[in-house]
Amino acid sequence: MIKNTFISFQEKKEESRGSVEFQVFSFTNKIRRLTSHLELHRKDYLSQRGLRKILGKRQRLLAYLSKKNRVRYKELINQLSIRELKTR
């Protein structure tokens, strides 16, 4: 699923590098990579700090996108599966 998402983003890469969706996508890839690194190296505090900074950047971008365009925000969240759906 992630690979298909990456391919669809790669097709638009040249024209949309600055878009919020592409930035969130690249931050998500970095977060997943750092998370797997930290599972092996638990005491790598510099990487932990970098992970927290990237998480904050992604959170701010998602907050911006949810204010500006709720439909694009929901599509991106579902596509990357980074939020859990709330069930009532």
Side-chain angles (χ1 to χ4, degrees), residues 12-67:
K12 302 176 188 176
K13 183 177 181 180
E14 294 302 320
E15 60 202 39
S16 68
R17 273 194 186 152
S19 71
V20 176
E21 289 93 347
F22 186 80
Q23 290 180 31
V24 169
F25 175 73
S26 62
F27 285 147
T28 303
N29 283 340
K30 286 181 184 180
I31 289 167
R32 288 184 175 138
R33 216 173 44 241
L34 276 173
T35 303
S36 66
H37 169 78
L38 287 172
E39 288 174 355
L40 295 174
H41 309 281
R42 295 185 188 276
K43 294 196 176 194
D44 189 355
Y45 299 114
L46 191 60
S47 292
Q48 288 178 12
R49 181 175 184 261
L51 177 63
R52 285 193 300 266
K53 288 181 81 166
I54 293 172
L55 282 168
K57 286 181 185 179
R58 185 179 75 174
Q59 184 179 8
R60 287 191 299 274
L61 280 172
L62 286 172
Y64 168 79
L65 187 61
S66 71
K67 287 179 191 173

Side-chain angles (χ1 to χ4, degrees), residues 7 13 27 51 60 73 78 85 88:
I7 291 170
K13 183 177 181 180
F27 285 147
L51 177 63
R60 287 191 299 274
Y73 168 77
N78 290 333
L85 296 175
R88 294 181 185 193

